[in-house]
Amino acid sequence: MATFLYKIGRFSYRRRWVVLGLWVVLMALAGAGAATLSGKMSNSFEIPGTESQQAISRLTERFPDAHVGGATAQVVFVAPSGSTLTAVVDRAAVERTVTGLRGAPKVVSVTDPYATKTLSADGRYALVQVGYAVPSGDVTGADRKALLSALDPGRAAGLTVEAGGTALGVQAEQGTAQLAGLVVAALVLVITFGSLLAAGLPLLTALVGVGAGLSAVAIASGVVDVNANSTVLALMLGLAVGIDYALFIVSRFRQETREYGTGPEAAGRAVGTAGSAVVFAGLTVVIALAGLSVVGIPVLRSMGLAAAATVALAVLVAVTLLPALLGFAGRRVARGRAGLLRRRPATGRATVPLGERWARFVTRFRIPVLVVALGGLLTVALPLSQLRLALPDDGTYPAASTQHKAYDLVRKGFGPGFNGPLTVVVGTDGDARSGAARVATAIGGLPDVVAVGAAVLSADGSTALLTVIPRSGPTDRATTDLVNAIRGKEAALRRSTGTDVAVTGTTALNIDVSKKIGDALLPYLAIIVGLAVLLLMLAFRSVLIPLKATLGFLLSIGATFGAVVAVFQWGWLGALLGVHETGPIVNLLPILLVGILFGLAMDYQVFLVSRMREAHVRGAAPRQAVVAGFRASARVVTAAAIIMAAVFSGFILSDQVLVKSIGFALAFGVLVDAFVVRMTIVPAVLSLLGPAAWWLPRPLERILPDVDIEGRHLAAHPAPVVTGPVRGEPGLRGDRTAGTDDRAGRKV
């Protein structure tokens, strides 16, 4: 592989106008395709194979007037202290507000609290349910504004009126967050390279990769169903890995120019060595993201495949377009004035880089270092035992939001169960009325049930809807037990009433999602870990290094989940991070985080250990190979981790707890994995293993192809002879480095 990528790097550098032209044409075609061939992205959230989803499909077919799957809003009215909503003036204000809600865009149903008797026992609270004809993703900002404006008559009359529900689930705007991450990334790149031009290349190529990836996703949306959230993950990961991959290759190019000048030889060797690591790192990320398809949740499959495609394009940009841009920039990239990667001028006393000093310290005191590092990670992971998963509800919104206020008022006036009612679907081939009544009686006798609403029949009478109000809140364990208890009675109810019974609704869907993810997590881990271990075994020709890399990832993910629980469930450091409301962790986060962090962790594993492997195959002793590889890669891995964490940390600025938790988890996980696992535990363990770290059984050695990630075969390409100015180079006055073609001896 190194030789193949070496040739690509040289070609791209020497034929930079051709390569640049091809990318310009490709981006133009991608942009045109995205503008003309794209379709509407979906905002639906479906969980095939679950009881709740099957019930929704049945209702859509048999009971279309129910608008199941449409957005909903819940409006709560509260009379002033000492008054009730049955008073003439207050009742008139409620009725005017209800009339206004019925006229709001896309609204198809609004309940009358006086007709449905959804008044609290003291008469101060009233509850109104608003149904929409479209799913929550199709409710626009103007629709939400109209809904909130309809509350004004009640508020003007002195009532407290607040609204929550899926219709008000505003998607957070992340432009500011991404901009903040890019600013930090640019600052780190400037400090690392000491050159604005060198710092700009990774940013430029990352934007090209993201642009190509998002265009591809847009084109795909015209052919297949693509979830709208896919672009968020593709953008976030595309920027992060695109910058990191380019950073790794540019830093290697700067190192190679010290020996081979700034001609195509340096570019070829940089792409042949660092580019090989980038390809393998990218493959692990692609495997981890594409593996989300096995979970069986369409939104995760869509997000994973979109992000995987964007990462693959980032790799392609890094090994083709980047060396072409290096050809245009030439020595101006190679010469940084104040970068951390710049070689210090010779003095009477040699300066040992910080990375080398750290590597020597870790390899010398490896046992104490391992004890401290492992102890720290396990301690941080302890809160993981208290992890609670759920879909976010209105209680997780900021306290000042109308959603959170409505959630609290409903809980206070009616009880926590009114924030998460269950929908029970009763179906039969005949008249469902009598069967629904018997089902309601059976469910009403369960311990955690407060009330069962009157049955609502479909036009043909074959399907009935029952609203079941639990005593407990939507994310409480008791509510999960109630759903399971109702489902446990379904077979008996079928025999006794002749009806098919199913539980659905947001709360039941939440429970089904959590169970489906829990059931899929181990198979998903087995697939991505198995493929990644095989990939790393090919890269490093070792059995122990892939196993060590996987165990290190488990430590990282455990510590990350522990920190997430401590911050978002327990409220630790909540004031510092802007977490004002605690609650369960969103149930999509674990499997999404596992996939993303596994791929990124293997990135740093490949970047770091590939340089150690390179030193090892060149004859260095095991401990010296660890120190030499660490010295060569520590700074670029440090910069890459800081950049990636900066991109993710921008999402912590979001007001949405879900987005904030994802940003925090990714940023924390990247920093822990890079600095504690890869840059501390890895060199300590490798120095402890000694020669055994690079052991590969002979049968495997014969079977596995030699992919040459460390560039060992590049030794067959003789170094160019330094003779004079390089033809076609931008150059600087007084620079006389040059090179010749290593195969034919021609000047280049």
Side-chain angles (χ1 to χ4, degrees):
M1 174 177 286
T3 303
F4 174 69
L5 291 175
Y6 164 82
K7 294 177 180 178
I8 290 179
R10 282 184 58 88
F11 175 85
S12 298
Y13 190 99
R14 299 183 65 190
R15 301 290 184 263
R16 43 190 172 271
W17 282 109
V18 174
V19 174
L20 179 62
L22 289 174
W23 272 105
V24 169
V25 171
L26 177 63
M27 293 300 294
L29 291 175
T36 58
L37 302 177
S38 62
K40 185 178 180 181
M41 294 190 183
S42 169
N43 285 284
S44 63
F45 187 84
E46 298 181 354
I47 314 296
T50 61
E51 178 175 314
S52 55
Q53 188 63 52
Q54 291 170 350
I56 290 174
S57 300
R58 184 188 311 167
L59 285 174
T60 302
E61 178 184 349
R62 293 190 177 185
F63 204 162
D65 293 341
H67 295 284
V68 176
T72 60
Q74 191 166 243
V75 180
V76 58
F77 297 82
V78 184
S81 179
S83 179
T84 67
L85 294 176
T86 56
V88 176
V89 175
D90 291 339
R91 177 167 181 162
V94 171
E95 290 175 344
R96 286 197 303 272
T97 305
V98 169
T99 301
L101 289 170
R102 287 174 177 153
K106 300 175 185 173
V107 170
V108 292
S109 64
V110 180
T111 62
D112 182 344
Y114 300 99
T116 58
K117 302 187 186 304
T118 49
L119 294 169
S120 62
D122 60 4
R124 288 191 61 212
Y125 296 81
L127 200 58
V128 172
Q129 302 292 340
V130 181
Y132 280 74
V134 296
S136 58
D138 293 333
V139 178
T140 65
D143 298 334
R144 288 188 285 268
K145 185 177 180 180
L147 174 67
L148 295 176
S149 296
L151 309 182
D152 291 342
R155 291 170 174 171
L159 303 179
T160 298
V161 188
E162 304 293 348
T166 60
L168 292 173
V170 184
Q171 293 184 351
E173 298 293 335
Q174 293 304 318
T176 303
Q178 293 157 5
L179 179 60
L182 284 176
V183 169
V184 175
L187 180 61
V188 173
L189 287 169
V190 171
I191 294 174
T192 301
F193 290 128
S195 164
L196 290 174
L197 181 60
L201 287 181
L203 291 174
L204 176 60
T205 54
L207 291 175
V208 171
V210 167
L214 294 182
S215 297
V217 172
I219 293 171
S221 68
V223 182
V224 296
D225 184 37
V226 177
N227 190 274
N229 293 314
S230 303
T231 58
V232 177
L233 184 62
L235 175 61
M236 181 170 59
L237 281 181
L239 283 175
V241 302
I243 293 173
D244 279 5
Y245 295 165
L247 167 67
F248 197 53
I249 292 176
V250 171
S251 64
R252 185 60 184 258
F253 172 76
R254 286 161 63 97
Q255 294 173 13
E256 296 293 344
T257 57
R258 298 167 190 160
E259 184 173 354
Y260 301 107
T262 54
E265 185 67 22
R269 290 179 181 268
V271 176
T273 53
S276 297
V278 164
V279 169
F280 271 89
L283 282 174
T284 58
V285 179
V286 168
I287 288 172
L289 291 171
L292 290 170
S293 302
V294 306
V295 179
I297 298 179
V299 62
L300 286 180
R301 179 176 64 245
S302 177
M303 292 173 68
L305 292 177
T310 305
V311 170
L313 285 168
V315 172
L316 184 62
V317 168
V319 299
T320 58
L321 179 61
L322 180 58
L325 295 178
L326 289 173
F328 288 108
R331 301 178 184 87
R332 286 171 290 180
V333 168
R335 291 184 172 184
R337 295 188 177 184
L340 292 178
L341 296 178
R342 187 177 68 89
R343 176 177 288 178
R344 297 181 182 274
T347 61
R349 182 179 180 183
T351 301
V352 180
L354 178 61
E356 182 176 347
R357 281 181 281 167
W358 175 251
R360 292 188 184 280
F361 172 82
V362 169
T363 55
R364 181 180 179 185
F365 301 102
R366 48 186 176 266
I367 299 299
V369 165
L370 282 174
V371 170
V372 172
L374 292 174
L377 289 176
L378 293 175
T379 301
V380 176
L382 287 177
L384 175 59
S385 61
Q386 303 298 318
L387 177 67
R388 292 171 54 219
L389 299 175
L391 284 174
D393 56 27
D394 287 345
T396 62
Y397 279 89
S401 66
T402 185
Q403 295 98 319
H404 188 95
K405 291 177 181 178
Y407 187 90
D408 285 345
L409 290 174
V410 170
R411 181 172 52 187
K412 182 179 179 181
F414 298 93
F418 278 79
N419 279 310
L422 306 175
T423 300
V424 176
V425 183
V426 181
T428 181
D429 292 333
D431 188 357
R433 187 184 305 274
S434 60
R438 283 182 285 173
V439 170
T441 301
I443 293 176
L446 294 174
D448 196 49
V449 174
V450 172
V452 180
V456 179
L457 294 175
S458 62
D460 61 2
S462 65
T463 306
L465 295 182
L466 297 173
T467 299
V468 178
I469 307 299
R471 192 177 306 278
S472 51
T475 60
D476 292 344
R477 179 65 193 177
T479 304
T480 301
D481 294 339
L482 173 61
V483 171
N484 293 333
I486 296 174
R487 289 173 173 172
K489 287 180 170 291
E490 288 174 359
L493 290 171
R494 186 180 300 110
R495 290 192 298 269
S496 62
T497 66
T499 60
D500 293 321
V501 179
V503 185
T504 187
T506 302
T507 302
L509 189 66
N510 174 17
I511 294 169
D512 288 345
V513 170
S514 298
K515 184 177 186 304
K516 186 152 188 135
I517 289 177
D519 293 342
L521 188 57
L522 286 180
Y524 171 65
L525 270 175
I527 290 173
I528 65 170
V529 169
L531 290 175
V533 165
L534 179 60
L535 201 62
L536 293 177
M537 197 178 296
L538 284 172
F540 299 122
R541 303 192 69 77
S542 166
V543 173
L544 296 180
I545 286 179
L547 296 178
K548 172 193 61 61
T550 303
L551 293 176
F553 163 72
L554 295 178
L555 290 171
S556 298
I557 202 71
T560 300
F561 279 126
V564 169
V565 170
V567 172
F568 293 92
Q569 276 187 212
W570 297 356
W572 292 9
L573 301 177
L576 180 64
L577 296 173
V579 180
H580 305 294
E581 300 298 328
T582 59
I585 308 303
V586 61
N587 49 22
L588 294 179
L589 182 61
I591 199 160
L592 195 61
L593 192 60
V594 165
I596 296 172
L597 280 185
F598 183 82
L600 299 181
M602 295 306 105
D603 272 8
Y604 300 124
Q605 175 76 14
V606 172
F607 289 170
L608 194 64
V609 180
S610 64
R611 297 305 295 267
M612 298 178 184
R613 167 76 178 172
E614 186 176 339
H616 170 72
V617 299
R618 291 182 178 179
R623 181 177 173 184
Q624 281 68 36
V626 171
V627 173
F630 198 94
R631 179 179 61 242
S633 57
R635 286 172 176 170
V636 69
V637 170
T638 298
I642 293 174
I643 288 170
M644 194 168 289
V647 173
F648 295 147
S649 295
F651 290 80
I652 300 176
L653 302 176
S654 172
D655 290 333
Q656 302 296 318
V657 174
L658 169 61
V659 177
K660 189 185 292 287
S661 65
I662 291 175
F664 172 81
L666 290 175
F668 185 88
V670 163
L671 293 176
V672 166
D673 191 86
F675 291 109
V676 180
V677 175
R678 307 303 156 188
M679 300 181 71
T680 302
I681 293 178
V682 165
V685 171
L686 287 180
S687 66
L688 191 64
L689 291 175
W694 310 105
W695 171 74
L696 184 69
R698 289 189 179 277
L700 284 178
E701 191 170 359
R702 289 193 296 267
I703 295 173
L704 295 178
D706 186 1
V707 295
D708 187 26
I709 189 175
E710 66 279 352
R712 182 177 67 256
H713 295 161
L714 295 184
H717 296 267
V721 178
V722 177
T723 59
V726 180
R727 183 173 25 177
E729 285 297 303
L732 291 175
R733 184 177 298 176
D735 192 327
R736 298 188 179 279
T737 57
T740 59
D741 188 285
D742 57 280
R743 289 168 294 178
R746 297 185 300 269
K747 295 282 186 67
V748 292

